Amino acid sequence: MAARICLVTGASSGIGHATALELLRAGHVVYGAARRVERMEAVRAAGGHVLETDVTSEADAERAVRTILGERGRVDVLVNNAGAGLHGAIEDVPVERARRLFEVNLFGAARLTQLVLPGMRERRSGRIVNVSSIAGRFSLPMVAWYHASKHALEAFSDALRQEVRPFGVEVVVVEPGLVRTEFEREAARELRAFSGGGAYRRLAEAMARRSEGLATVRMSDPAGVARTIRRAVEAPRPRLRYPTGHLARPLLAFAALTPDRLFDRLVTRIG
Ligand SMILES: NC(=O)c1ccc[n+]([C@@H]2O[C@H](COP(=O)([O-])OP(=O)(O)OC[C@H]3O[C@@H](n4cnc5c(N)ncnc54)[C@H](OP(=O)(O)O)[C@@H]3O)[C@@H](O)[C@H]2O)c1
């Protein structure tokens, strides 16, 4: 397989870090992008390139793509993986925080997509892999903004796929389940800070305990998700969606098959 020129965002931790290493092992040219460059030393050591990039910054996004185009002439694959969470009741979380979340989870991915598309269209070849989540297919209380951002990314990806397919560009959505990364680190603290003292405190505390309990729950290794992303990058005819990681398929099936009111009752049971 010919080496692809790949840009992987969020390569400093978790799924993005593992993906950068997996794609390097497969012989691809990899540019890892994130804010914490010191956390991408392993990517550099494995032969990858490191770009200090805040995906919410227009200047950073432009510079990252310009650097790759200058050095390689093209971007074959964009893996929009950079992402963050936000926990707390809708009534309690300042909308400004939600806006910032969307800047990373949706608009950052969208801007990079805009920057790589002209070259992909001209060459009639390219692939955009958006790392969504099973959270993009159903919603839970106290995580509204994260769910909303991933639902938005799913909708964005569907429309993008419909627009760019005639130009030979593929769009793939990867939907991880429970994966052990730094992702949940702030969850319990945010739940208590935003909603621990008000009308939603019981549910917030229950969710915080559930999040803390995840430390003992089986979760997938990010390397497994990285292998799925590699398949999504390399498959001659990729699937549109790749659920991957612990509980991804059963939870998606459960959410799809459970009537809405029953789903609501089940996920708001406190305790
Ligand atoms: N872990 C899970 O169970 C799970 C499940 C489903 C979906 N996901 C999705 O998987 C993706 C990766 O998450 P993870 O689990 O690997 O979490 P993680 O370990 O917390 O990694 C998040 C990555 O995103 C980067 N990032 C955050 N804000 C950024 C910004 N403004 N600019 C550039 N990079 C930024 C971080 O880099 P810097 O801080 O260095 O910038 C980091 O590399 C996310 O999109 C997440 O929604 C995770």
Side-chain angles (χ1 to χ4, degrees):
M1 142 134 0
R4 310 259 167 88
I5 313 297
C6 307
L7 168 57
V8 180
T9 67
S12 63
S13 168
I15 293 169
H17 191 70
T19 299
L21 295 175
E22 176 71 24
L23 292 173
L24 283 166
R25 266 195 300 277
H28 300 293
V29 175
V30 175
Y31 286 77
R35 292 166 302 182
R36 293 170 297 171
V37 275
E38 72 284 1
R39 297 281 300 271
M40 294 191 283
E41 271 315 311
V43 173
R44 205 194 298 270
H49 307 265
V50 163
L51 300 168
E52 182 174 357
T53 309
D54 180 338
V55 297
T56 69
S57 151
E58 175 71 27
D60 281 12
E62 281 178 13
R63 189 170 46 240
V65 173
R66 202 183 322 119
T67 299
I68 306 174
L69 293 180
E71 291 179 9
R72 308 283 163 174
R74 64 184 206 273
V75 179
D76 295 319
V77 176
L78 167 63
V79 181
N80 279 315
N81 162 80
L86 183 57
H87 299 77
I90 292 170
E91 197 178 322
D92 298 331
V93 175
V95 167
E96 187 45 38
R97 288 292 301 267
R99 275 206 187 94
R100 264 159 47 199
L101 183 80
F102 269 70
E103 289 293 339
V104 182
N105 291 6
L106 180 66
F107 297 119
R111 185 61 191 128
L112 283 167
T113 299
Q114 290 180 328
L115 289 166
V116 300
L117 268 181
M120 290 182 175
R121 269 194 304 98
E122 269 164 36
R123 289 189 314 282
R124 301 193 69 79
S125 143
R127 198 160 291 187
I128 294 165
V129 179
N130 288 335
V131 180
S132 175
S133 168
I134 56 170
R137 306 282 294 282
F138 58 82
S139 299
L140 299 178
M142 300 286 150
V143 209
W145 291 116
Y146 179 65
H147 283 286
S149 73
K150 291 299 185 179
H151 277 259
L153 184 64
E154 296 265 344
F156 172 86
S157 303
D158 284 338
L160 179 67
R161 186 183 67 244
Q162 293 153 6
E163 290 179 13
V164 301
R165 184 74 193 84
F167 300 104
V169 180
E170 307 269 6
V171 178
V172 180
V173 177
V174 174
E175 298 170 324
L178 302 183
V179 187
R180 194 162 305 285
T181 67
E182 296 177 10
F183 195 73
E184 276 284 314
R185 215 173 37 180
E186 294 296 308
R189 191 192 58 73
E190 282 179 356
L191 281 161
R192 292 189 178 112
F194 285 128
S195 298
Y200 305 92
R201 62 185 175 280
R202 282 189 65 212
L203 189 53
E205 184 55 32
M207 298 286 283
R209 291 224 185 99
R210 210 167 291 168
S211 172
E212 286 163 345
L214 283 177
T216 60
V217 165
R218 204 189 125 207
M219 292 175 103
S220 296
D221 189 279
V225 179
R227 285 192 291 276
T228 303
I229 293 176
R230 174 182 164 187
R231 279 205 300 282
V233 165
E234 294 181 342
R237 199 163 177 277
R239 301 207 305 257
L240 306 189
R241 287 187 161 74
Y242 288 80
T244 176
H246 190 50
L247 291 181
R249 284 175 183 283
L251 285 176
L252 285 178
F254 172 75
L257 295 173
T258 308
D260 288 350
R261 283 188 194 286
L262 176 60
F263 188 86
D264 288 356
R265 274 205 301 280
L266 292 172
V267 301
T268 50
R269 266 195 194 157
I270 296 178

